[in-house]
Amino acid sequence: MFCDELKLKLVAGKGGDGFVSFRREKFVPRGGPDGGDGGNGGNVIFKVNTNLNTLGHLANRKKYKAEDGVGGKKKNMHGKNAEDLILEVPKGTIIFNEDKSMVIADLSKEDQKTIVVKGGKGGLGNARFVSSTHQAPKFAETGEPGEKKDIVL
């Protein structure tokens, strides 16, 4: 199927939440906080593929969403960053915003990449909020949401 113009909804991944945890050991009755940070959400990236000549392979879905970041864990373990979603387009593709009033990107070179929507940043765990006056924080940050955009290719 030949397709030369396409409307898509892009959603980047949400960042993982920070974790609230405290160190527990046999002879340490009150260990300090050890909650890990959340991972970053995935970006949506457009990449030029010279073997393509139509946008037909993207026409079967109207919404593309990148993965969310994984939350933090105990023992200062950080969550995994999400994989980026890479969408391949033919050389010469122009990416507009929803009403075609602004050009977001012009993909005219071989193997050119551009990030169209950025993923959210992961939240901080409670181990990051320790200070001399607040030694046992019982809170953590939530991950930031990813960007959302409606575009026209």
Side-chain angles (χ1 to χ4, degrees):
M1 176 174 103
F2 181 76
C3 179
D4 64 346
E5 186 170 321
L6 188 60
K7 285 186 180 185
L8 295 176
K9 182 181 189 101
L10 304 177
V11 180
K14 176 188 176 296
D17 296 336
F19 198 75
V20 176
S21 174
F22 294 92
R23 205 172 96 219
R24 300 282 181 234
E25 292 179 22
K26 187 173 182 181
F27 297 108
V28 182
R30 291 192 199 139
D34 69 348
D37 301 340
N40 296 330
N43 302 320
V44 178
I45 299 174
F46 281 91
K47 180 182 175 189
V48 173
N49 183 348
T50 55
N51 296 328
L52 296 174
N53 59 3
T54 180
L55 297 170
H57 66 286
L58 297 174
N60 57 353
R61 290 185 4 196
K62 295 294 179 194
K63 182 178 180 180
Y64 286 91
K65 185 180 184 314
E67 294 178 11
D68 295 337
V70 178
K73 306 234 184 312
K74 304 183 212 186
K75 299 181 182 177
N76 283 321
M77 290 192 288
H78 300 304
K80 183 179 177 185
N81 292 337
E83 294 287 325
D84 293 334
L85 176 64
I86 298 175
L87 301 174
E88 294 187 339
V89 293
K91 185 176 171 182
T93 301
I94 301 174
I95 303 172
F96 293 99
N97 64 347
E98 185 178 18
D99 58 356
K100 289 188 172 183
S101 63
M102 185 178 76
V103 174
I104 296 172
D106 184 3
L107 302 173
S108 58
K109 297 177 186 146
E110 285 188 34
D111 295 328
Q112 184 178 355
K113 288 183 181 179
T114 184
I115 297 174
V116 178
V117 286
K118 288 184 121 348
K121 185 175 175 277
L124 299 176
N126 69 334
R128 296 288 188 119
F129 296 104
V130 174
S131 67
S132 62
T133 58
H134 197 241
Q135 295 180 358
K138 295 180 179 143
F139 59 89
E141 283 184 345
T142 57
E144 295 177 2
E147 293 180 352
K148 296 178 183 178
K149 270 188 197 171
D150 291 329
I151 63 163
V152 176
L153 299 175

